[in-house]
Amino acid sequence: MSRKLPNVIVFLTDQQRWDTCGLNGNPLGLTPNYDRFARRGTHAPLAFSCQPVCGPSRSCLQTGQYATTSGCWKNDIPLPADARTLAHEFADAGYRTGYIGKWHLGDSASLGPVAPHQRGGYQDWLAANVLEMTSDAYDCRVYDEQSREVRLPGYRVDALTDAAIRYIDQRSREDQPFFLFFSLLEPHHQNHRDDYPAPEGLTQTYAGRWTPPDLAALVGNAPQNLPGYCGMIKRIDEAFGRMLDALKSLGLTDDTLVAFTSDHGCHFRTRNDEYKRSCHDASIRVPLALGGGGFHGGGELSQMVSLLDLPPTLLAGAGVSVPPAMQGRSLTPLLRDRKAAWRDDVFVQISESEVGRTLRTTRWKYSVRAAGVDAYAESAASRYTETFLYDLLADPWELTNLVGNAAHAHVAAELRERLQRRMVEAGETAAHIEPAPVVSLPQRRVEVRDATD
């Protein structure tokens, strides 16, 4: 087969906030390679996770379906054996498919090896189901196609990137396009010690430096963990640059579609008792840029983008048919016409910390939760209550909750109807949303924890 289809690479990080990138306003110089890549390609500054927890978000990225549709609505639910993934679609189009890194869509009984029928159809495999539980910063352990443990030398980001570059080099020598899904753990915390272990010396480099305004106001555990988090991202960006260099050296830059994004963000225990699983931008807003192929020179998109839109975008960008079962939309029409029809909001499902739903527009954030429902037992509910309303124009860091404010009752009513429609469009059963009790004055308090903590 002659190489007519472009290679496709997804570079996925774990738990990376959108504002860690220089192009999104971070002043620390953490991401020069990402910034340069995004400027040359297509940058989506308003990109959002559709499910801010690892497993469900990854199910959305693999299937192009909401987590409640695929059934992977919380961690430790295996991807159904009959689920159609990006790997299946690309393989059917003549691609060789490979997966390297963290999976988190296998059987919960296995933290490391993933059974072949739970690998989403990927042909080449070097991964661990829950990488944070089987490895450490300088002890990277993954598993091959035969479920044999493979120890990779170096800092975990570097070790996995080395493996990805070897894979790219190997596949570049074959007369067949490849699709590689490359999934890092960083900058996710190291679970067994609840820490963000950066490469030697980098934590000290970022101690006492710039802090995002929401963390400066709410604190959480950012003073202890933000420096290491920044150090992790610095090394991620260096690794991304190495991958781009490898493509250039192999003459593949123009023939390879590359997407960089993250599964969700990180709020450093300012919104609940851990790092994500909330409606706030710190949890749901992520970096997203695409380059190569038709995405070169695409510029900056003003539209709001969901991670659910990435699977159809990758397929359409490669010239592969998008299956009708995918619930996102390809971004490719926006490259041809910035005024092409596009929705003006994103819909987010939240699990584990709460059974919650969120609507995010350019101006407003509106969120509801199901009171008294076990968030580890139920994926959805028939009744919800308004919990958060933020005016993002006046309050971009979401510090003043306007829910129940009489002056904003008309806004809440409109958003309530829009959210109900989006829930049904996502395949959920129509639900009742109870308005919050009305108060006459705005709530001007600075939030520390949400109402259930």
Side-chain angles (χ1 to χ4, degrees):
M1 177 187 296
S2 60
R3 188 186 298 278
K4 294 181 179 179
L5 296 172
N7 304 309
V8 180
I9 299 173
V10 176
F11 192 108
L12 182 72
T13 64
D14 192 327
Q15 206 163 287
Q16 183 176 354
R17 293 169 60 109
W18 69 281
D19 57 2
T20 56
C21 302
L23 202 55
N24 290 334
N26 190 293
L28 297 179
L30 301 178
T31 60
N33 292 301
Y34 171 87
D35 297 339
R36 182 169 58 253
F37 171 79
R39 288 192 182 97
R40 292 175 177 174
T42 301
H43 180 220
L46 291 172
F48 300 87
S49 175
C50 45
Q51 230 290 3
V53 63
C54 295
S57 178
R58 289 158 191 274
S59 75
C60 299
L61 285 170
Q62 293 300 326
T63 66
Q65 297 179 333
Y66 284 105
T68 51
T69 302
S70 70
C72 300
W73 56 271
K74 65 176 180 177
N75 280 337
D76 301 327
I77 296 179
L79 194 67
D82 61 351
R84 290 286 297 182
T85 69
L86 283 172
H88 293 115
E89 303 302 334
F90 277 112
D92 286 353
Y95 280 76
R96 185 73 186 181
T97 63
Y99 197 97
I100 296 175
K102 173 180 172 175
W103 179 239
H104 216 155
L105 288 171
D107 195 310
S108 61
S110 176
L111 300 178
V114 177
H117 69 279
Q118 293 181 345
R119 295 175 187 168
Y122 284 91
Q123 297 158 325
D124 303 316
W125 188 263
L126 188 64
N129 188 33
V130 191
L131 187 59
E132 58 267 41
M133 305 299 287
T134 65
S135 68
D136 208 331
Y138 283 94
D139 183 17
C140 183
R141 305 183 187 211
V142 286
Y143 301 83
D144 65 13
E145 288 94 347
Q146 288 73 46
S147 295
R148 297 173 301 198
E149 181 180 273
V150 178
R151 299 188 68 177
L152 301 175
Y155 183 69
R156 187 167 44 206
V157 169
D158 300 328
L160 290 170
T161 302
D162 290 343
I165 291 173
R166 287 193 295 270
Y167 183 83
I168 293 168
D169 181 38
Q170 176 187 0
R171 292 301 166 209
S172 71
R173 303 172 191 275
E174 302 171 359
D175 192 24
Q176 181 182 17
F178 65 84
F179 168 55
L180 171 63
F181 202 105
F182 177 49
S183 173
L184 291 171
L185 174 64
E186 284 73 14
H188 191 286
H189 57 288
Q190 187 62 50
N191 289 48
H192 66 79
R193 63 175 184 266
D194 196 20
D195 187 23
Y196 291 79
E200 289 291 333
L202 280 184
T203 297
Q204 292 78 7
T205 299
Y206 297 105
R209 304 284 293 278
W210 179 79
T211 299
D214 61 316
L215 301 182
L218 305 179
V219 184
N221 63 2
Q224 302 97 309
N225 289 337
L226 186 60
Y229 184 79
C230 290
M232 285 176 153
I233 291 167
K234 181 65 174 176
R235 184 56 63 88
I236 288 170
D237 188 72
E238 293 168 353
F240 185 55
R242 287 202 297 120
M243 179 176 286
L244 296 178
D245 286 346
L247 292 173
K248 183 175 182 179
S249 73
L250 294 169
L252 298 178
T253 300
D254 294 335
D255 299 326
T256 305
L257 193 168
V258 178
F260 182 112
T261 193
S262 192
D263 59 349
H264 52 75
C266 183
H267 61 66
F268 291 93
R269 294 189 169 177
T270 56
R271 304 298 189 171
N272 55 37
D273 285 337
E274 38 84 64
Y275 298 102
K276 49 218 174 195
R277 300 177 176 91
S278 84
C279 71
H280 303 86
D281 273 14
S283 285
I284 66 173
R285 194 169 175 183
V286 294
L288 176 60
L290 300 103
F295 295 95
H296 181 73
E300 184 171 287
L301 301 179
S302 61
Q303 290 83 357
M304 304 185 71
V305 177
S306 168
L307 285 188
L308 207 65
D309 301 321
L310 186 56
T313 298
L314 296 173
L315 293 171
V320 178
S321 296
V322 177
M326 286 191 172
Q327 294 176 283
R329 296 178 59 191
S330 170
L331 299 174
T332 52
L334 297 178
L335 302 181
R336 299 187 295 268
D337 179 8
R338 285 294 195 269
K339 296 183 180 179
W342 195 260
R343 61 176 176 268
D344 58 358
D345 57 40
V346 291
F347 170 62
V348 181
Q349 299 174 324
I350 303 171
S351 64
E352 300 192 5
S353 64
E354 62 185 69
V355 178
R357 300 294 184 263
T358 295
L359 189 78
R360 210 279 196 188
T361 74
T362 54
R363 172 72 185 271
W364 302 101
K365 170 74 63 63
Y366 176 78
S367 191
V368 303
R369 68 169 53 147
V373 176
D374 185 345
Y376 279 90
E378 302 294 338
S379 63
S382 60
R383 299 183 64 86
Y384 295 85
T385 301
E386 292 178 339
T387 310
F388 292 108
L389 175 64
Y390 295 106
D391 181 349
L392 302 175
L393 180 63
D395 179 26
W397 303 107
E398 301 171 321
L399 300 176
T400 302
N401 186 6
L402 298 172
V403 72
N405 172 242
H408 293 82
H410 66 293
V411 175
E414 177 186 344
L415 295 172
R416 186 183 313 127
E417 293 180 3
R418 289 178 64 176
L419 177 57
Q420 288 171 317
R421 288 197 301 269
R422 293 289 267 130
M423 292 166 68
V424 172
E425 290 170 5
E428 299 187 29
T429 302
H432 173 75
I433 298 176
E434 184 71 23
V438 175
V439 295
S440 59
L441 295 175
Q443 300 175 36
R444 292 299 180 188
R445 62 183 176 83
V446 172
E447 295 183 0
V448 178
R449 292 293 176 105
D450 63 29
T452 62
D453 295 325

